[in-house]
Amino acid sequence: GEDVEQSLFLSVREGDSSVINCTYTDSSSTYLYWYKQEPGAGLQLLTYIFSNMDMKQDQRLTVLLNKKDKHLSLRIADTQTGDSAIYFCAEKWNYGGATNKLIFGTGTLLAVQP
Amino acid sequence: ETGVTQTPRHLVMGMTNKKSLKCEQHLGHNAMYWYKQSAKKPLELMFVYNFKEQTENNSVPSRFSPECPNSSHLFLHLHTLQPEDSALYLCASSQDRVYEQFFGPGTRLTVL
């Protein structure tokens, strides 16, 4: 079965780095995603990583993938108050042929203290 | 309008009411999705439409009835809901089932 787990809450101070962790179960996942949800809004795709990569950097965001441990992390450098949101990890789960779906975690609420 | 829009943004209804949620995407995508987001639970995929055809129904109760008249519009018809159906209902679209999904802002539904 598919399962994606995240811790529910993370609090950091403005200017520090934030690291949000995620574990997943499907070793055949081709893509793993990080989405951001601000209050009252839908999910916004932040970044994604292909399963044959170990790391991807995009400005302040660094995604690390450990396929052996099925562990994904999102590091936000120089965290700002505007980064306060819920962050969802998702894996693309293939269940036959071209059919696949996204499996989401419960989300991690990031609170940035000024 | 750009992206994925949803109306209404907020809805309060009684258990005997009938209402509909609307989603529209302006991205030229051909796959559309309904998700349910409840507090402290993972997003639950409810329905998937690809080229207007329903390709997935994740054991959703029949009091939720989706409709996809064309690739740009998706509806969720609601009838005799229960208080536990109160949640944020998110619509998403993607180019085929392969590529990343773009989400609307959601409809916050409260069932009294």
Side-chain angles (χ1 to χ4, degrees):
Chain A
E2 66 275 17
D3 195 17
V4 177
E5 294 189 356
Q6 301 177 238
S7 54
L8 289 179
F9 184 73
L10 175 66
S11 178
V12 300
R13 295 180 66 170
E14 191 173 18
D16 289 348
S17 292
S18 308
V19 180
I20 303 171
N21 295 300
C22 168
T23 57
Y24 60 97
T25 55
D26 184 15
S27 58
S28 64
S29 294
T30 52
Y31 288 92
L32 294 124
Y33 301 85
W34 283 105
Y35 282 84
K36 176 184 180 182
Q37 185 179 31
E38 295 179 354
L43 276 67
Q44 171 196 359
L45 179 64
L46 270 184
T47 187
Y48 63 92
I49 188 168
F50 189 52
S51 58
N52 68 353
M53 299 169 65
D54 298 322
M55 186 182 86
K56 180 179 179 181
Q57 187 149 4
D58 183 1
Q59 299 182 335
R60 292 191 297 123
L61 305 179
T62 303
V63 179
L64 295 178
L65 176 60
N66 181 330
K67 285 189 67 177
K68 175 176 171 290
D69 295 336
K70 297 186 190 131
H71 183 266
L72 182 74
S73 68
L74 174 69
R75 179 176 180 269
I76 305 173
D78 187 25
T79 313
Q80 304 297 307
T81 53
D83 295 323
S84 294
I86 302 175
Y87 290 81
F88 291 90
C89 166
E91 62 168 336
K92 179 168 284 184
W93 191 67
N94 184 283
Y95 53 98
T99 308
N100 52 67
K101 63 180 180 181
L102 289 182
I103 308 298
F104 286 86
T106 53
T108 299
L109 173 62
L110 174 65
V112 182
Q113 311 300 325
Chain B
E1 291 258 31
T2 58
V4 182
T5 57
Q6 291 186 242
T7 54
R9 295 293 310 275
H10 300 273
L11 178 63
V12 179
M13 60 187 289
M15 289 191 284
T16 58
N17 292 157
K18 283 185 181 181
K19 296 286 184 184
S20 296
L21 309 185
K22 179 183 176 183
C23 174
E24 185 173 0
Q25 58 95 0
H26 310 270
L27 300 168
H29 292 163
N30 50 39
M32 296 188 78
Y33 312 76
W34 279 117
Y35 286 88
K36 177 182 179 183
Q37 185 179 24
S38 305
K40 297 182 181 176
K41 291 176 69 176
L43 251 67
E44 300 172 54
L45 179 64
M46 300 174 71
F47 301 104
V48 182
Y49 277 81
N50 201 20
F51 289 102
K52 304 186 296 178
E53 299 297 321
Q54 187 181 122
T55 58
E56 190 156 341
N57 175 340
N58 276 339
S59 303
V60 180
S62 59
R63 57 186 184 269
F64 294 91
S65 174
E67 179 190 359
C68 189
N70 55 61
S71 293
S72 299
H73 293 84
L74 184 65
F75 295 89
L76 188 63
H77 304 299
L78 315 172
H79 178 49
T80 58
L81 296 191
Q82 304 298 311
E84 60 265 28
D85 297 323
S86 298
L88 182 68
Y89 288 85
L90 292 164
C91 173
S93 70
S94 67
Q95 185 58 40
D96 301 320
R97 291 293 310 275
V98 179
Y99 301 103
E100 48 270 351
Q101 297 175 23
F102 292 81
F103 284 79
T107 295
R108 173 68 63 186
L109 174 68
T110 303
V111 181
L112 302 177

